[in-house]
Amino acid sequence: MKIVDALLDMNILATSELAARYRADFPILNLKVSDKPLVYLDNAASSQMPQAVIDRLVRYQTSQHANIHRAVHYLSEVATQEYETARRTLQHFINAREDREIIFTSGTTDAINLVMHGYGRKFIKSGDEIILTNLEHHSNIVPWQMLAEEKGAIIRVVPINDAGELLVDEYEKLFNPRTRFVAITHVSNALGTINPIKNMIAFAHKHGVPVLIDGAQAAAHIKIDVQELDCDFYAFSGHKLCGPTGIGLLYGKAKLLEAMQPFKGGGDMIASVTFEKTTYNTIPYKFEAGTPPIAAAIGFGAAIDYLSGIGLDAIAAYEHELLNYATEQIAAIPGVHIIGNTPTKVAVLSFTIDGIHPHDVGTLLNQEGIAVRTGHHCAQPIMQRFKIPATSRASFSFYNTKAEIDTLIAAIHSVQKVFS
Ligand SMILES: *Cc1c(COP(=O)(O)O)cnc(C)c1O
């Protein structure tokens, strides 16, 4: 497993100073909850925003706001320039070949729906097959089911083993001449598993099948290079990378984006409109109908600059250290079970406690100021696979500390005492 080796290698470079250095950039982390210092361990659902991004949003709103692409006046030109600069920041962040391969969406969900409508509804027909995996978020299941229902297409699902790893042999066996599309998550939001997507993409391409990667959980934790991965589509959301909500990205290979039909119709996505016929704008504008969330896009760019300033490799190494520290201690508590035990994972710890419903765990941890996620994590098929209704999930970011993990461990012991 190459990624693990790389992570372990980087561990040598890991600096425990990371949180100490950058934590102060996040004003919200000074909050008290239930009279206790906030311990924010719900980063897989949404991460927090550093002052640099907040300042960028304020600067935009106080001195740069106007509608983009529409006018020759000063503010419209500035806003357009800043919006397009953010697009290029994202292009470089994932090493896309061209900036027109970056489409601003409202998030991962919107990006996947764009591909379903723009590519799926045009190219997928009755009897065609779409491959998903047992590890998908509902965002990367439901749009494909809607398409399958509309077209009479068939969904195939790659199974997982007890460690929460995809069975790649089974994936390869699913391919046949009717296979038309593959949609896989880079990292499981419920278990943290990092999937071997590079090989899976290469295999699909041998069969001439395009691949969409849901990168919502990966982009904040792993350096992404879409050219090296050779994926056809890659999607993620700003709010999971220290950016604002309401903004996300779809990367697509230019050739595919050009062949696709628009998803939403409206202003800015057209070249000319008459009541007889409308011709569409070039990419990326063909897919950006209407006034986009300009401020959020610029804030997204600022968040990427901030993360790049720290370095994704340093972030991955430090978070891996946090994961190991937390895993060792949680695994040692009798009656606590970690769900998803692959060594190839990001800093997500899903666990159950014997005899205590995850909802009660979450409620009691909240009384200690600790924010974890409890539930099915928008991934019910994973819960069904492990025959559990829900888990508690602690997910770490580079601004978390080992002291916060100690607080979590002590709180889990207290929860067990309450129920004993
Ligand atoms: C969060 C998440 C999504 C959905 O992201 P939105 O920002 O809610 O659109 C999709 N897939 C995965 C793996 C996620 O973690």
Side-chain angles (χ1 to χ4, degrees):
M1 292 274 121
K2 257 167 108 191
I3 297 166
V4 162
D5 290 346
L7 284 173
L8 291 176
D9 278 355
M10 285 185 288
N11 230 354
I12 299 163
L13 307 169
T15 161
S16 313
E17 309 288 292
L18 213 62
R21 282 224 320 263
Y22 294 103
R23 200 176 160 80
D25 293 344
F26 294 80
I28 205 167
L29 298 178
N30 297 321
L31 272 189
K32 293 225 157 127
V33 171
S34 316
D35 265 345
K36 308 265 168 51
L38 167 67
V39 175
Y40 188 75
L41 303 178
D42 194 17
N43 295 288
S46 203
S47 55
Q48 298 298 348
M49 201 184 275
Q51 191 65 47
V53 177
I54 298 167
D55 289 346
R56 186 66 190 89
L57 293 171
V58 170
R59 182 152 75 89
Y60 172 76
Q61 299 292 5
T62 51
S63 65
Q64 298 181 320
H65 173 68
N67 211 331
I68 55 168
H69 301 147
R70 302 255 162 100
V72 294
H73 65 75
Y74 168 78
L75 278 179
S76 182
E77 280 183 0
V78 171
T80 303
Q81 209 168 33
E82 298 297 330
Y83 179 78
E84 292 303 331
T85 298
R87 192 192 307 279
R88 284 192 294 277
T89 300
L90 286 158
Q91 176 204 344
H92 296 134
F93 183 62
I94 61 170
N95 193 31
R97 207 170 273 118
E98 302 175 64
D99 58 359
R100 65 195 182 113
E101 294 180 315
I102 305 295
I103 295 158
F104 283 117
T105 67
S106 71
T108 308
T109 305
D110 190 38
I112 295 169
N113 277 277
L114 190 165
V115 177
M116 185 279 264
H117 283 271
Y119 184 90
R121 294 184 82 194
K122 185 165 176 188
F123 295 113
I124 290 172
K125 309 255 173 335
S126 176
D128 287 350
E129 298 188 8
I130 300 163
I131 296 179
L132 309 178
T133 85
N134 202 167
L135 288 178
E136 300 314 309
H137 187 283
H138 295 165
S139 290
N140 202 24
I141 299 174
V142 182
W144 304 113
Q145 281 177 330
M146 291 163 78
L147 179 71
E149 191 165 332
E150 178 186 319
K151 298 288 183 180
I154 296 151
I155 306 276
R156 302 275 182 220
V157 181
V158 185
I160 55 174
N161 62 19
D162 289 340
E165 297 161 328
L166 291 179
L167 299 176
V168 177
D169 288 354
E170 298 299 319
Y171 164 72
E172 296 184 354
K173 281 189 218 153
L174 292 177
F175 280 82
N176 66 57
R178 297 314 303 261
T179 308
R180 289 288 178 274
F181 201 79
V182 173
I184 355 172
T185 195
H186 194 165
V187 168
S188 157
N189 67 306
L191 307 182
T193 311
I194 302 171
N195 293 322
I197 58 165
K198 194 176 171 194
N199 292 341
M200 294 173 80
I201 292 164
F203 190 85
H205 286 175
K206 269 195 237 159
H207 293 260
V209 177
V211 183
L212 173 142
I213 303 297
D214 172 352
Q217 288 300 331
H221 309 287
I222 298 172
K223 182 86 194 86
I224 307 300
D225 182 332
V226 290
Q227 291 189 62
E228 196 213 327
L229 289 171
D230 197 29
C231 53
D232 300 279
F233 301 101
Y234 198 99
F236 56 91
S237 303
H239 70 95
K240 291 180 182 176
L241 289 91
C242 301
T245 54
I247 190 76
L249 158 163
L250 173 68
Y251 157 80
K253 286 182 179 165
K255 247 197 171 137
L256 284 169
L257 292 174
E258 278 168 345
M260 282 157 62
Q261 63 189 17
F263 171 26
K264 297 167 186 165
D268 245 20
M269 57 76 73
I270 51 87
S272 74
V273 177
T274 67
F275 280 106
E276 287 68 44
K277 183 164 174 62
T278 290
T279 55
Y280 301 125
N281 205 339
T282 51
I283 61 168
Y285 311 111
K286 180 168 91 176
F287 296 108
E288 293 182 359
T291 302
I294 306 164
I298 291 168
F300 193 4
I304 296 303
D305 284 338
Y306 178 82
L307 290 178
S308 302
I310 302 172
L312 260 287
D313 289 347
I315 288 172
Y318 175 64
E319 288 177 350
H320 201 68
E321 205 176 295
L322 286 180
L323 176 68
N324 287 344
Y325 185 76
T327 303
E328 261 173 45
Q329 296 194 68
I330 289 189
I333 308 174
V336 178
H337 311 281
I338 295 174
I339 311 295
N341 282 301
T342 172
T344 318
K345 64 189 281 193
V346 300
V348 166
L349 265 183
S350 245
F351 58 93
T352 58
I353 306 181
D354 287 345
I356 314 176
H357 194 277
H359 187 75
D360 294 327
V361 175
T363 305
L364 289 168
L365 292 182
N366 182 54
Q367 289 171 13
E368 302 297 319
I370 302 169
V372 297
R373 190 77 159 190
T374 59
H376 54 62
H377 317 295
C378 298
Q380 284 182 341
I382 299 180
M383 302 299 129
Q384 289 149 11
R385 166 64 176 74
F386 287 97
K387 300 192 168 60
I388 48 177
T391 72
S392 303
R393 181 189 69 188
S395 51
F396 307 103
S397 177
F398 61 89
Y399 46 64
N400 290 123
T401 63
K402 288 186 181 168
E404 289 181 308
I405 292 171
D406 294 341
T407 306
L408 171 70
I409 302 298
I412 292 173
H413 283 294
S414 311
V415 170
Q416 285 182 310
K417 269 197 206 113
V418 170
F419 279 83
S420 66

